[in-house]
Structures are given as structure tokens and as C-alpha cells.
Amino acid sequence: MSTTSVRDVARHAGVSVGTVSNVLNRPDRVSPDAVDRVQRAIEELGYVRNDAARQLRAGRSTTIGLVVLDVSNPFFAEVARGAQEEAAAHGFTVLLGSSDEDAERELSYLDLFEKQRVHGVLISPNGDVDERLRRLRSRGTPAVLVDRRSEDGSLSSVAVDDVAGGRLAVEHLLESGRRRIAFVGGPAGVRQVADRLLGARAAADGVDGAGLEVLETASLTVLEGRRAGEEIAARPAEDRPDAVFAANDLVAVGLLQALVMQRSLRVPRDIALIGYDDIDFASTAVVPLSSIRQPSRLIGETAVQLLLGEAGDPGKPPQDVVFQPELVVRASSA
Amino acid sequence: MSTTSVRDVARHAGVSVGTVSNVLNRPDRVSPDAVDRVQRAIEELGYVRNDAARQLRAGRSTTIGLVVLDVSNPFFAEVARGAQEEAAAHGFTVLLGSSDEDAERELSYLDLFEKQRVHGVLISPNGDVDERLRRLRSRGTPAVLVDRRSEDGSLSSVAVDDVAGGRLAVEHLLESGRRRIAFVGGPAGVRQVADRLLGARAAADGVDGAGLEVLETASLTVLEGRRAGEEIAARPAEDRPDAVFAANDLVAVGLLQALVMQRSLRVPRDIALIGYDDIDFASTAVVPLSSIRQPSRLIGETAVQLLLGEAGDPGKPPQDVVFQPELVVRASSA
DNA sequence: GAACTCTAGTGAACCGATTCAGGGTCGGGC
DNA sequence: GCCCGACCCTGAATCGGTTCACTAGAGTTC
């Protein structure tokens, strides 16, 4: 185990350990000559800094912990990317964990982060972690919620206005002349679903002759979407909605598949369709899918900014940043 | 910063720091009474172990670094999941990084891992990192390649036999009576694409009257697949293949979309279709897609096992594990 | 030339968990 | 009564990078 330490470097360069450390951290305080000798020594010995020792002395690491519900979900993948980039720009690293919607896993990541004396925690929580995060914060480790607000406003958060998103989608359908709108999504207990429906309802309520029907699904998957689509396709024409707002793009893709199979039905002629999230697949569907886009990368970046802001000034009051979603119109609702 | 240390716990419990450490690591060597007092003290003080100090002393961390080409690719998401689970079972944690096919990013993750004195590195390499990994190994940090072999056999690897996968796909098409096969995928320089084509060709060569046409695409995306599909659909019937093997499922989905739009064509009646990777979307496509499944989770698990094996016995010769892919038949080729 | 300021560099102390040589106690064997 | 082993516990030393009080020497000021 040829672990070269600052002491070895110092000896090899003919300086003291303090000088080596200064070269590494504040080269301006060291004479050019010494900088040179130390750097050559580092090169020759193949020295690599030991982060553990550094962190031990510093009291906290330069790592930011991020726990998302599911890495393979493109939304979170983008959030993670944004966070990573913003963190890197400030010299931090992101430790990424996927809770897979499992409360136990979620807690085990928080345990790990705490043991690692992480600089801060970003989390899109699944279970009830507010208590846990407050404890972290009381020890000097700030936490920022992603895609959810803290219940009592004691933690900062970055989220998207899902109510506005729902409104945006249905307003768009109404503007293109549709009146019999169906909302497909579920379970109703999920906050995102509930908020999108709330916005949808608000938009529909504002227009004369507009009706909003709700088809609840068991989950937000292609299969569930198709099931709902088949149900709709099987109805007599006079009972069918003339537009469908799906709570996410997967559901919309399923709906689209079911509707396209029914040769007598056309999208968007007979039924307009709009999804939510604007995943990559949306634009490449048989009929390119209209959708509501969330600034996912920006969410990640902002979360890191809030976090570093709090880390720099522990007394700072929590802040809630809410982004507005954006309507993306494609063929499925044109 | 109320950082409680073992010393605080020891004082509070009326024992020595050594005993506290023993309670934490080898409770069997401590009297039940002392275990009890220490645990109560830990509880009361809210003590959390400092991993940095632990790692500093131990010389290496209990973390395994994993660099994948792209987290949002379901294949790698599964590999990561498998690795995470296997690692957790041995008390290790996985630090996940996504290189996004950027060689610089890839190296910066390796830098980080080296500074962190990671226990080992798993990587699905993009750039040329063999040199770098050998340096790591010479310092006692083993590395295992994922989804690629090492060029000179000096590193262990876990991969899937893509030649066999290509053969499997085309054999299946041939068995169901097809003879005019088209291979769609690219760029040809990508090893996975080349291997799958190699297998496809081997299968086609073995059967009388069978022909294999190659349509190269610029990338493995839905859009490129659709482009190829439109080209095929536009041909006169006698020039069309009666089966298509797509180099991955995204391409297959694009092909399927283009073929389905052409109302006179039916999948699989006129053209059978098979993809590769068996992503979630494959089974939920309009016509459920046949595909070649790779044991992605198992790859992750195995990679961790190889890694820990090498970490335990540095002299161990490198090992190449090759998994066999599996044919999944669905409606698109039935 | 005494007093002062700068700059560059030194090295012991420190962070906190783990290890290990050493010591105390008790019961059993002879 | 003495010795031995088993058992439990102690606390100083250690890992390696950073910090900080301090020294040395060169340059400035009055």
C-alpha cells in the first residue's frame, strides 16, 4: 500500500508539510519556487490527496447528498444532472441515491449522509422525513426539499406549480375549442396528481359549457393509460370526451396507443391529447404528444444554490422557490 | 456545531473510548452491562459515527464507485440497482456517477474516487481509462469493467454476449419462416452494434435462402428508427424485408411507429420485428415488442462480487464474466 | 541603527474512530 | 497459596491534511 502523504511530498520537495498544504490550498501565499518544487514532487510521487483526512479536519465534507424517488425517471435524472453541474461549479460533488419509493431505503441514505458529514442534503421525500431533516439542520447540515414543500415551512424547497400546470393544459384544450374534457390519472392521493387535477378543474370551471370528467387510474403507467384509453374508445361517440388531459406522459402514451388502435378514431381530430412532464418519448410518439414541461434541470441547479446559501449562513430563513411549468404544443392537440 | 464524539459518549457512559469503539464494532467482546450503558449514552447524546475519521484510520472507505455512461438509460439504472443491492448486502455503499459519454467527466469521477480512497471502482468506460485503472489497481484499488472487456485482459469485466444476442434474434426470425432479414442500427463503430450484427450475420449465413440486409443509422434513437421504417415502408412490396432486427428497442419503437402508420402493412403479418434490451417500453408498445433481454441487474451484482473478491485477495487474476442474453417473444414477431 | 512591517516558511497540535499492548479481576486447577 | 487463562476494560498512539502561533530574514521608516 504505497500511500504517499503530504509528509512524503514535503520531504521530497525539501519543504515543510505546512508549505505543501499551502501549495495545495493557497498557492498565492507561497513563493513560485516552492510551488514549483512541491508540484514536481507531487508529480513524481504520484501523490493524491486523501479526502477523508481533509474532511476530518474540516468537520464536514464537500459532498452534497441527493435522494430522489427513482433515478430512472427522466425527470429526476435531469434534476440530478442539474444539481451535479451546479455543485461542480462550486467545487462540490453530488452523492446520488435512489430511494425507489421505499421509506426504509430513504432513511438509510439519510443515515449514510449523516455519517459522512455531508455538506447538505437534497431530497424528494417519500416517507415522513421532516423530523429527520430538522435534526440534520440543527447540527449544521442544511436540507432542501425537491418537488415538495415542507409542511410547516421550516425547510427550503424547490418545486413546480402543478396547479398552474394543470390549468395550462386544460386552458389550452379549451382554447382549441374542446369542451368535454377528461382527466386521466391517479392515484388521487399523490400530491402531484391532485394538484394537476385542481388546476384542470379551475380552468374548466371558468368556461361556459365545459365539463371535466375524471378517470382515476391505479398508477401513472403506460398500461393504466391504455386501459383508460380502451374504456374511452369503447364508448358510443356521444359519450366520448373530445379531449383528454393525462396526468403524465406515460399515461398519455398508453391512451394514444389505445386510441390509435381504434381505426375509426383520430388524434387529434376526434380526441385531442395532452400529457405532462415532456419526457423524450413524448416528442417521438406516433402522434407527437403535447405536454407540460417542467424545468427539471433548473430545479436541480436551484436546489443546490439554496443549499449552499443556507450552508453559508445558517440563520437564513427557509425559502420556497416555485417554478412555472411550460406548455409544449405538438400534433396531438393541434 | 454540537459534534459528539466517541469521547463524549465514553464520558457519558463512564467507560473508555476503546470500549465505545468495541461496542460499535465487536459487541461480543464487551459485557452486556457496558453495551447497554454505551448504547443508552449514544441514544441520549444523539451520537452519529464520523465516517471520515473511520476511513482515515482504516486507510480506505467502504464505498464503491460506479461510473455509467448514462443514468437515465434503463439498462444502466438496473445495473446500478443491482450493484447497490449487492454492495449493501456486504455493508458497502455505491457512489453513482454518470459520465454522460463525456471523457472529461469520466476522468473527474475517477479523480474523485481516488481522493476518496474508494474500496473499488466499477466502470462502463467511454474514453480510454485502462491506463488509469491500472494505476488505481497498483495502489490497491481494484476495478471492474462493466459491459466491456479490457483490451489486454488485465482487468476483470462483466458483460453480455452481444454476438449471441444477435444470433438469437435472427435465429428466432428464421425459425418463424422469415428469410429476408434487415438489420437496422448504428453507428457501426460501436462495439455493441458491431457484435449484434456479427451474430445476426452468423445466423443468417447458416440458413439456405436467407439474406441479411444492413441499414445503418446515425444513432440508436426512436427518430432514426422511424426514418429507417419510413424508408422500408416506401419500398415496393417485393423489395421489402419480411423481418427486421433492430439494434435496440428505441430503434425498434421508431420502426414500429413508421410501419404501423402505413395502413397497408401489418406487424407481424407482413414484417416481423424484434428489438434489443427489453426496456419497459417494449412490452407496452402498440404491438408488444419482441426483444433480447440482458440480465442487467445481475450484471451489477456480479460486478460487485468480482470487485470484492479482488479487494479481498489482491493477487487474484482478472476474470471475465460473460452473460448470455435471453430471447423474449411477444406479438411483434409471433 | 532601532523599531517596524512584510513575506515565506515551519512544525506541533488537532480532527475522531480504531487499534493494541498492557493491566486488573475472578475462578479453577494443582 | 500460587499460577494460569479467560474476560473485560483502558488509554496512548495512529491515520493524513489543515491550521496557526511563531521564527527568520529582508526591506522600510524615522
Side-chain angles (χ1 to χ4, degrees), chain A residues 4-293:
Chain A
T4 7
S5 77
V6 274
R7 263 159 270 265
D8 301 315
V9 174
R11 196 177 319 130
H12 197 262
V15 298
S16 74
V17 292
T19 300
V20 174
S21 180
N22 280 332
V23 169
L24 256 28
N25 301 301
R26 305 177 219 71
D28 50 299
R29 292 205 197 162
V30 184
S31 71
D33 173 59
V35 170
D36 216 61
R37 291 210 322 276
V38 169
Q39 273 169 352
R40 212 189 333 272
I42 288 177
E43 190 72 27
E44 283 171 23
L45 298 175
Y47 167 76
V48 174
R49 236 217 214 91
N50 184 329
D51 258 4
R54 197 165 140 81
Q55 288 173 24
L56 173 57
R57 186 70 234 256
R60 45 154 66 168
S61 87
T62 59
T63 297
I64 292 172
L66 167 60
V67 191
V68 299
L69 291 175
D70 176 11
V71 244
S72 52
N73 178 328
F75 171 73
F76 288 117
E78 272 303 294
V79 170
R81 219 180 294 262
Q84 228 135 22
E85 277 170 14
E86 184 66 20
H90 295 269
F92 290 86
T93 312
V94 171
L95 188 47
L96 176 59
S98 184
S99 69
D100 298 335
E101 319 216 355
D102 176 342
E104 202 178 319
R105 238 177 149 68
E106 186 171 47
L107 281 178
S108 87
Y109 273 114
L110 291 179
D111 279 346
L112 175 69
F113 292 161
E114 201 168 354
K115 284 193 294 190
Q116 305 251 48
R117 299 292 191 270
V118 140
H119 205 86
V121 172
L122 306 180
I123 182 169
S124 67
N126 178 43
D128 182 19
V129 289
D130 281 34
E131 170 65 31
R132 193 61 189 289
L133 296 179
R134 262 195 295 279
R135 180 175 112 191
L136 268 175
R137 212 189 39 178
S138 77
R139 302 192 184 201
T141 306
V144 172
L145 298 178
V146 172
D147 206 30
R148 209 183 79 180
R149 281 189 168 219
S150 98
E151 280 167 24
D152 55 1
S154 66
L155 294 166
S156 287
S157 70
V158 184
V160 177
D161 188 341
D162 279 306
V163 177
R167 193 182 308 119
L168 218 52
V170 170
E171 275 171 4
H172 165 61
L173 296 174
L174 291 167
E175 268 163 25
S176 53
R178 315 285 170 157
R179 284 297 174 271
R180 309 177 54 182
I181 318 268
F183 173 87
V184 178
V190 176
R191 207 227 59 221
Q192 282 84 345
V193 173
D195 280 3
R196 289 165 199 180
L197 176 55
L198 221 60
R201 194 158 269 148
D205 283 352
V207 173
D208 267 2
L212 185 74
E213 172 191 5
V214 176
L215 290 174
E216 186 171 350
T217 61
S219 62
L220 296 177
T221 58
V222 176
L223 238 63
E224 283 291 305
R226 186 145 62 197
R227 195 164 303 160
E230 281 160 4
E231 202 257 280
I232 289 173
R235 295 185 191 175
E238 66 271 19
D239 283 352
R240 263 184 233 132
D242 58 8
V244 178
F245 168 34
N248 86 358
D249 281 346
L250 295 179
V251 172
V253 166
L255 278 159
L256 184 61
Q257 287 175 357
L259 298 178
V260 165
M261 289 301 277
Q262 189 76 15
R263 299 266 154 142
S264 59
L265 277 176
R266 284 282 179 84
V267 172
R269 199 193 58 191
D270 304 304
I271 299 188
L273 185 57
I274 185 167
Y276 207 108
D277 282 349
D278 194 33
I279 62 178
D280 276 352
F281 253 81
S283 63
T284 60
V286 210
V287 180
L289 213 57
S290 297
S291 196
I292 302 292
R293 179 184 300 160

Side-chain angles (χ1 to χ4, degrees), chain B residues 100-311:
Chain B
D100 298 334
E101 319 215 355
D102 175 344
E104 202 177 322
R105 236 178 151 66
E106 186 172 45
L107 281 178
S108 88
Y109 273 114
L110 290 179
D111 279 347
L112 175 70
F113 292 162
E114 201 169 353
K115 283 193 295 192
Q116 304 250 48
R117 299 293 190 270
V118 141
H119 206 85
V121 172
L122 306 181
I123 183 168
S124 66
N126 177 43
D128 183 19
V129 290
D130 280 35
E131 170 65 32
R132 193 63 189 289
L133 297 179
R134 262 194 296 279
R135 178 174 114 193
L136 268 175
R137 212 190 39 176
S138 77
R139 302 193 183 202
T141 306
V144 172
L145 298 177
V146 173
D147 207 31
R148 209 183 79 179
R149 282 192 167 215
S150 100
E151 279 166 25
D152 56 0
S154 66
L155 294 166
S156 287
S157 70
V158 185
V160 177
D161 188 341
D162 279 306
V163 177
R167 192 182 308 123
L168 219 52
V170 172
E171 274 172 2
H172 164 61
L173 296 174
L174 291 168
E175 267 163 26
S176 52
R178 315 286 169 157
R179 285 296 175 272
R180 310 177 55 181
I181 319 271
F183 173 88
V184 178
V190 175
R191 208 227 57 221
Q192 281 84 345
V193 173
D195 280 3
R196 288 165 198 179
L197 176 54
L198 220 60
R201 194 158 270 150
D205 282 353
V207 172
D208 267 0
L212 185 73
E213 171 191 6
V214 176
L215 290 174
E216 186 170 349
T217 61
S219 63
L220 296 177
T221 59
V222 176
L223 238 63
E224 282 292 304
R226 186 146 62 199
R227 195 163 305 160
E230 282 159 4
E231 203 257 280
I232 290 173
R235 295 185 191 176
E238 64 273 17
D239 283 352
R240 261 183 234 133
D242 57 7
V244 178
F245 168 34
N248 86 0
D249 281 347
L250 295 178
V251 172
V253 166
L255 278 158
L256 184 61
Q257 287 174 358
L259 299 177
V260 164
M261 291 300 279
Q262 189 75 13
R263 299 267 154 142
S264 60
L265 278 176
R266 283 283 177 82
V267 172
R269 200 194 54 191
D270 303 305
I271 298 188
L273 185 57
I274 185 166
Y276 207 108
D277 282 350
D278 194 32
I279 64 178
D280 275 353
F281 253 80
S283 63
T284 60
V286 211
V287 181
L289 213 58
S290 296
S291 196
I292 302 293
R293 178 184 298 159
Q294 315 199 55
S296 28
R297 187 176 293 227
L298 185 58
I299 291 174
E301 288 171 11
T302 309
V304 168
Q305 283 163 6
L306 283 187
L307 193 71
L308 296 181
E310 284 190 31

